[in-house]
Amino acid sequence: MSEVPATSEARVGGVGVELNGVNAVAEEERHGRPRDLFWPWFAANVSVLAVSYGSFVLGFGISFWQATFVSVAGVVASYVVVGLVAIAGKRGSAPTMTLSRAAFGVHGNRLPSLVSWLLTLGWETSLAAVAVLATSTVLDRLGAGGGTGTKLVALVVVVGLIVLGGTLGFGVIMRMQRWITIVTAVLTVAYIGFAAHSVDLAVVGAIPGGDTAAVVGAFTMVMTGFGLGWANAAADYSRYLPREASSAGVVLWTTLGCSIGPAVLLVFGALVVGSDPGLSELVGRDPVGALTAILPTWFLVPFVVVAVLGLVGGAVMDIYSSGLALLNVGLRVPRPVAVLLDGALMVAGATYIAFFSADFLTPFQGFLITLGVPIAAWAGIFLADLATRRRGYAEAELLDARGRYGSVRVLPVATMVVATVVGWGLVTNGGASWLTWQGYLLGPVGGREGEWAYANLGVLLAFAIGFVVVAVFGRAAVRRQEDR
C-alpha cells in the first residue's frame, strides 16, 4: 500500500475525514497563520490535571517559592522545545515523525517512531482514565452514584469524543480546540476563583525549602510531564501552515498556547495542596476528582465539564499524533484506521487504570520518566539535525529508503540508544517495582538511595548527549544530503 493517500479527505455522512498520513501536505491545502496554533495547543494543555502537578512538585520536598520557579521555568523551557520542533512542520509539510526520517533514515526512524507511539498512547490512556475517575467522583458527590456503571458510561462518552476527534483529523481538531479553549478558559478562571478560599498563605509560606537535587528533580519532572511529552507531535499541526509563515511566530504562538494554562495552574496547585497536605494522598489516587473536595456542591457540574473538556482536548491531539506515529513505525493502513486501532488499546489501558488500579500516581510517574529519557534523546537529535539544515526537506524522499535520507543513519540511531542507556542509569522510580532496574549509574552520586537519586538527571543528560553528538558529528552527513 502506498504511503500517500489518493485524496486528502473523504466525506462520511457529510463530515470530512482527513486522509493525510505520513505524506507531505499538498501546497493547495496549506493555509493559516502562526497564531492559529495558539488554539489547539492551549486547549490541549489547560487541563485542571496541571493543578494536581502542584502536589507532584511539592512532593519533592521543596518550598512553595522553589515550586513556583520550577513550575514556570520547567513549563516554558520545555514548550520552547515544542515550538522549535514545530518549525520543521512548516518547512517540510509532513508530520513530526515523518520529518524525523531525515535524521534517522527512513527505516532507522522506526525506533523513535515506536517510542513516540508508546508515549502518546500512554498519555491519551492516562488522560482518558483521569476523565473517567473525575466524572465518577463528581457524580458520587452529587448523589448519582460513582460505581462501576457510572464509570462505564463515562468511559464510553470520553473515549467516544477522543476517538471521534482523532479519526476526523486536523480540520475538525482545529475547530473543536478553539471552542474547548474558550469554554475551558472561562470555567478554569471560575474554578480558581471558587477554590481560592482554601489557600492558606501562612501554611504555604512555612513549607521548608529543599536542596539542589530536589529542585532539579522537580524541574525535570515538570519538563518531562509537559513539553517533552509534546515535542514528538509538534510538527503535526504546523505542517498545514504556508512555507513562508514566520518561524519566530510558530515558536512564539506554540509556546504561548502551551505554557499559559499549565504555568498558572501548576502554581495555583502548589498553593492549594500546600495549604492542605492531606490532599496529596487523594491526588495520588484520583488526580482531578480529589480537587472537588474544596469546591461548593453547586459548582461540581461546571467543574466536571472543564475537567473532561480539558482532558479530552489533550487526548484528541495525542491520539491523532499517535496514529501518525504508528504509521511511521511501519503499519500500512489509512490514518483513520490507525487511530481506531490506537483507540482500542486506549480503552483497554483506561479500563485498567479506572477499574483495577488502586494508585494512579506511581505508574504514571514511572511511565513519564521511563519514556521521557528516550524521547529527550530524540528531541536533542532532532533539534540538532534541524538546526544544521540550510534548506527545506526533500519531501518525496522522506518516503523512499533509496533516496538521500537512506535506510538507516547509524550515528543518530546509535546516539539515541546510547543516550537512553545512559539516561536510564541516572533515573529512579522507587515506587514502581517493575522499574527497580533503573539507576544503575548512580553510584558516584550516592546510589539509588542518595540525594540525587530522584533528580532524574538522565532525562537532561539524554537530551544533551543527543544534541551535542549530532550537532558536532552529523553536519557532514546533512551537507551531503543537501548537495544531492
Side-chain angles (χ1 to χ4, degrees):
M1 181 181 295
S2 170
E3 290 189 295
V4 182
T7 60
S8 63
E9 188 177 80
R11 307 297 293 184
V12 177
V15 179
V17 180
E18 180 196 10
L19 296 182
N20 279 323
V22 299
N23 58 286
V25 175
E27 291 297 325
E28 60 271 17
E29 293 183 75
R30 303 183 68 162
H31 59 278
R33 295 158 295 183
R35 67 181 182 219
D36 295 332
L37 295 172
F38 176 86
W39 302 102
W41 286 118
F42 186 93
N45 289 279
V46 74
S47 167
V48 292
L49 178 61
V51 176
S52 294
Y53 266 86
S55 171
F56 305 162
V57 171
L58 289 178
F60 280 84
I62 60 179
S63 71
F64 168 73
W65 295 112
Q66 288 174 320
T68 298
F69 169 77
V70 160
S71 299
V72 175
V75 164
V76 174
S78 64
Y79 282 125
V80 167
V81 173
V82 178
L84 292 172
V85 173
I87 293 174
K90 69 102 176 180
R91 284 188 185 177
S93 62
T96 315
M97 299 317 297
T98 301
L99 298 169
S100 179
R101 296 179 179 191
F104 290 85
V106 174
H107 294 141
N109 188 61
R110 289 179 178 176
L111 171 63
S113 294
L114 177 62
V115 174
S116 176
W117 175 65
L118 290 172
L119 183 64
T120 47
L121 175 63
W123 265 110
E124 73 202 39
T125 300
S126 298
L127 294 176
V130 171
V132 171
L133 291 171
T135 302
S136 175
T137 299
V138 168
L139 291 179
D140 187 45
R141 273 198 61 188
L142 290 173
T148 300
T150 301
K151 289 182 180 179
L152 283 173
V153 173
L155 181 67
V156 170
V157 173
V158 168
V159 168
L161 290 172
I162 294 169
V163 173
L164 179 64
T167 302
L168 295 178
F170 179 83
V172 170
I173 289 175
M174 293 295 282
R175 290 192 293 272
M176 181 172 69
Q177 297 293 67
R178 182 181 292 264
W179 285 107
I180 288 179
T181 293
I182 295 170
V183 174
T184 53
V186 172
L187 291 178
T188 298
V189 170
Y191 166 76
I192 291 175
F194 285 116
H197 74 278
S198 65
V199 173
D200 188 329
L201 294 178
V203 173
V204 171
I207 298 174
D211 57 20
T212 302
V215 172
V216 172
F219 175 79
T220 307
M221 190 273 290
V222 171
M223 286 197 67
T224 307
F226 289 91
L228 288 182
W230 283 114
N232 54 308
D236 298 354
Y237 304 94
S238 57
R239 78 191 201 273
Y240 276 89
L241 290 174
R243 296 182 196 278
E244 63 272 13
S246 165
S247 293
V250 169
V251 176
L252 174 65
W253 288 106
T254 298
T255 304
L256 281 178
C258 290
S259 300
I260 293 174
V264 172
L265 292 173
L266 257 170
V267 174
F268 182 72
L271 283 170
V272 170
V273 177
S275 300
D276 181 5
L279 271 179
S280 295
E281 184 179 350
L282 297 175
V283 165
R285 294 196 300 267
D286 183 0
V288 173
L291 303 176
T292 63
I294 58 177
L295 294 175
T297 302
W298 69 266
F299 190 69
L300 292 179
V301 172
F303 172 81
V304 80
V305 170
V306 68
V308 170
L309 282 179
L311 294 165
V312 166
V316 164
M317 289 179 68
D318 272 318
I319 199 171
Y320 177 75
S321 293
S322 182
L324 293 172
L326 189 55
L327 297 180
N328 275 293
V329 171
L331 182 68
R332 292 183 174 270
V333 297
R335 187 200 62 79
V337 175
V339 171
L340 292 175
L341 291 173
D342 205 75
L345 294 173
M346 176 184 67
V347 170
T351 299
Y352 171 76
I353 294 173
F355 292 90
F356 302 104
S357 177
D359 178 21
F360 172 82
L361 180 57
T362 297
F364 181 64
Q365 287 187 322
F367 153 76
L368 276 183
I369 297 301
T370 300
L371 289 183
V373 170
I375 211 66
W378 168 85
I381 292 167
F382 186 91
L383 287 178
D385 180 85
L386 178 65
T388 305
R389 296 186 180 277
R390 297 172 179 170
R391 304 174 187 171
Y393 296 91
E395 295 163 2
E397 295 185 53
L398 289 169
L399 309 180
D400 185 359
R402 298 165 299 179
R404 71 183 68 192
Y405 302 116
S407 176
V408 178
R409 290 189 62 199
V410 175
L411 177 66
V413 172
T415 300
M416 182 173 177
V417 172
V418 171
T420 298
V421 171
V422 173
W424 279 339
L426 293 171
V427 299
T428 55
N429 287 281
S433 59
W434 51 284
L435 295 173
T436 54
W437 54 269
Q438 295 176 350
Y440 43 80
L441 297 178
L442 284 168
V445 289
R448 290 186 173 94
E449 302 301 325
E451 64 177 351
W452 287 94
Y454 296 97
N456 297 318
L457 295 174
V459 176
L460 301 178
L461 187 59
F463 179 89
I465 292 173
F467 186 88
V468 171
V469 170
V470 173
V472 174
F473 299 105
R475 289 179 176 274
V478 172
R479 294 292 169 261
R480 288 193 295 271
Q481 289 178 356
E482 295 186 328
D483 288 342
R484 289 187 59 173

